[in-house]
Amino acid sequence: MWLYSILILTICSQYVTAQFGTFPQDFGYVNIREGAHMFYWLFYTTADVENYTQRPLVVWLQGGPGGSSTGIGNFEILGPLDLTLQERNHTWVKNFNVIFLDNPVGTGFSYVEDPRFLTKTNDEIALDFVELMRGFYNRHPEFRGVELYIYGQSYGGKMAVDMALRMREAEQAGTIQSNLKGIAMGNAWIHPVDATLTWAPLLLAAGLIDQAGYNDIQTAAREAERLFNEGLYVESTAQWANTQQAVFRSTTSVDFYNILTKMHVPWNPDTRTAYEISRDMMIRNGPYFSNSSYTRQGEVNLYDLMNNEVKEALGIPSHVTWGSLSNAVFDTLREDFMKPVTEGIEKLLAQENPIIVTKYNGNLDLICDTPGQILWVDRLNWHGAEGYKNAPRNPIWEDNRLEGYYKSYGSFRFFWINDAGHSVPRDNPYGTRAFLRDMTSYG
């Protein structure tokens, strides 16, 4: 392992003059198009292998849209260090080479020279991703044949669908040398209307609202659906936010990311719109808001960490300020926000030699709740639909503990994970092992 670490540091030195922490890493910007600069942070695997290319390359995408993967995904969820700056027991770096990507461009350390360069659609985000990976492979040709997997949480799962379509298209055209093998959509914003319509039934079944609360929430959700069906997509997004406010009213601010806890909503609704509150809450998508001054005992403040020690170590331009959120990114995608990507999933499943398509969900999440996911999964139009419907639902046992269930047919899988909210890898790393092994053979 000592020689292996020296080898990695030597390779890194071709592009990196400093780093944050002791874990072998690489980082940098790819100029994906005029005025748009995307930042990635790669951690080489610490697995006991002769060469790091013997393990897959995993790209982690945060949600929002506009949530920073290099900050939230890295330090809060699955990177090598947690927010106490100690080694994380369940870091994915133990088994994989992991890229934390600040996307869409304008998120985290990624930046644009003018707001007009921000992306407006999921497909534009996907095209940027292909350019990012093309630049990455130019710097790291040793990864071109390595198995590539895209894991996206929340809105990151929605982005992963179109990214996979565009990557496969580029692979088949020979314009990129990569080896995409699968995507995973974790508590993902795949069909927003389905998700919003199932909030009230889930909360009622859990005993968190009464019939009056159910009626209030469901009335708001139906209006979001009506607006979407009429093609009023920006208005539907605003009504989605109003539906969240109905949930807060009826539940005394249940946590949208774990229904067993309460969410702190620090803004005065008299001075901020429902859309602004919902936008900022969803972008941060963590157990607390990383841009705030609040930290848990023993932890550093993520905003301060990223804008001081990390920024200096990674040589980030002085004009770039890291944030766990990007209001500009979210607002620019407001029209695309409520649009589903189920057709894209069907296209992936219909391809010759299809990649693995995994859906996993924590059972305590509300915002991307499991009942809403099941609705669109059951409506998928693909050749394996009947086979999946009739497939057995099997238990997930890890160390003699039931961590959930899974169901699979062909290249599609669904994992129900117990004792987990919106961020399954953080909440239940033992259940996470199941879908990692299923897709990659490691975990």
Side-chain angles (χ1 to χ4, degrees):
M1 282 298 295
W2 180 78
L3 290 175
Y4 171 52
S5 298
I6 295 297
L7 172 64
I8 292 179
L9 289 172
T10 301
I11 292 171
C12 287
S13 67
Q14 298 175 39
Y15 309 105
V16 179
T17 58
Q19 65 176 46
F20 182 81
T22 60
F23 284 84
Q25 62 197 256
D26 176 55
F27 46 83
Y29 284 94
V30 173
N31 300 327
I32 53 176
R33 50 189 162 80
E34 178 190 1
H37 312 273
M38 190 169 290
F39 184 77
Y40 72 90
W41 194 353
L42 164 71
F43 288 91
Y44 295 90
T45 186
T46 58
D48 188 14
V49 292
E50 291 183 3
N51 191 291
Y52 57 86
T53 57
Q54 293 174 253
R55 288 299 176 92
L57 178 64
V58 169
V59 175
W60 177 262
L61 307 172
Q62 210 58 43
S68 168
S69 179
T70 62
I72 298 172
N74 183 8
F75 289 101
E76 291 190 14
I77 300 177
L78 55 89
L81 298 178
D82 62 22
L83 278 175
T84 68
L85 300 186
Q86 301 299 309
E87 292 188 18
R88 176 176 276 110
N89 289 333
H90 300 287
T91 175
W92 287 17
V93 175
K94 288 183 178 180
N95 291 299
F96 309 102
N97 303 285
V98 181
I99 295 178
F100 295 100
L101 181 61
D102 278 343
N103 88 297
V105 68
T107 297
F109 285 135
S110 297
Y111 66 96
V112 293
E113 297 173 15
D114 188 277
R116 72 179 187 274
F117 297 127
L118 294 172
T119 49
K120 298 180 178 63
T121 68
N122 213 48
D123 188 52
E124 289 180 1
I125 294 171
L127 291 170
D128 278 358
F129 178 76
V130 174
E131 288 304 314
L132 179 283
M133 293 306 299
R134 188 173 284 123
F136 175 82
Y137 287 124
N138 286 340
R139 294 182 185 180
H140 296 278
E142 74 274 15
F143 277 113
R144 285 174 177 161
V146 173
E147 292 185 351
L148 172 67
Y149 299 92
I150 304 172
Y151 280 75
Q153 177 173 293
S154 194
Y155 208 91
K158 176 177 180 174
M159 294 187 290
V161 174
D162 283 309
M163 288 176 177
L165 286 170
R166 286 298 189 177
M167 284 292 289
R168 289 301 296 270
E169 179 182 273
E171 286 179 346
Q172 291 163 5
T175 60
I176 193 170
Q177 291 178 271
S178 59
N179 188 19
L180 181 64
K181 290 294 187 180
I183 64 167
M185 305 164 287
N187 289 75
W189 198 236
I190 300 299
H191 198 296
V193 170
D194 280 351
T196 307
L197 286 172
T198 50
W199 290 348
L202 174 61
L203 292 168
L204 184 65
L208 296 174
I209 57 173
D210 58 15
Q211 190 62 43
Y214 174 92
N215 293 340
D216 186 21
I217 297 168
Q218 201 65 356
T219 297
R222 289 295 182 193
E223 178 63 7
E225 178 188 36
R226 182 190 70 79
L227 290 167
F228 179 84
N229 289 339
E230 292 185 6
L232 300 172
Y233 303 123
V234 173
E235 292 82 356
S236 181
T237 298
Q239 184 58 28
W240 157 83
N242 290 333
T243 308
Q244 285 199 325
Q245 295 307 300
V247 171
F248 286 140
R249 288 194 302 270
S250 300
T251 61
T252 319
S253 301
V254 68
D255 191 335
F256 264 85
Y257 305 118
N258 187 322
I259 62 173
L260 299 184
T261 60
K262 182 179 179 180
M263 172 170 276
H264 175 53
V265 184
W267 308 285
N268 185 345
D270 295 330
T271 60
R272 293 178 63 81
T273 66
Y275 168 78
E276 290 171 330
I277 293 173
S278 296
R279 173 197 63 193
D280 294 350
M281 179 199 75
M282 190 167 187
I283 289 173
R284 291 167 171 87
N285 81 43
Y288 60 93
F289 299 151
S290 306
N291 275 20
S292 73
S293 60
Y294 171 75
T295 56
R296 291 172 291 197
Q297 186 174 6
E299 293 185 344
V300 299
N301 179 274
L302 183 57
Y303 181 82
D304 292 339
L305 176 70
M306 296 297 288
N307 281 299
N308 292 286
E309 293 94 333
V310 171
K311 182 175 178 178
E312 181 179 358
L314 305 190
I316 303 300
S318 59
H319 67 85
V320 177
T321 299
W322 181 91
S324 63
L325 65 88
S326 172
N327 287 351
V329 168
F330 193 103
D331 291 345
T332 305
L333 286 160
R334 188 164 20 181
E335 184 170 353
D336 214 47
F337 183 78
M338 294 295 285
K339 295 180 181 179
V341 290
T342 46
E343 286 188 13
I345 295 173
E346 292 171 345
K347 290 178 181 178
L348 288 173
L349 295 173
Q351 289 183 344
E352 186 176 352
N353 300 316
I355 63 172
I356 297 172
V357 178
T358 293
K359 180 74 196 73
Y360 66 87
N361 239 67
N363 64 355
L364 300 177
D365 189 24
L366 177 61
I367 196 159
C368 298
D369 62 338
T370 301
Q373 309 293 327
I374 293 173
L375 287 179
W376 66 258
V377 168
D378 286 347
R379 291 198 307 266
L380 286 177
N381 182 18
W382 64 297
H383 65 275
E386 192 65 21
Y388 174 80
K389 177 182 177 181
N390 295 322
R393 187 168 179 262
N394 298 307
I396 299 170
W397 290 99
E398 294 287 334
D399 298 330
N400 294 317
R401 176 182 166 89
L402 182 63
E403 301 293 357
Y405 296 86
Y406 72 94
K407 188 175 182 178
S408 67
Y409 187 82
S411 58
F412 183 74
R413 298 96 162 84
F414 195 114
F415 286 79
W416 293 256
I417 305 298
N418 294 339
D419 297 328
H422 193 63
S423 184
V424 173
R426 179 185 59 218
D427 295 348
N428 189 341
Y430 299 99
T432 298
R433 293 174 182 172
F435 58 78
L436 287 175
R437 283 197 308 267
D438 175 79
M439 181 176 281
T440 70
S441 300
Y442 304 102

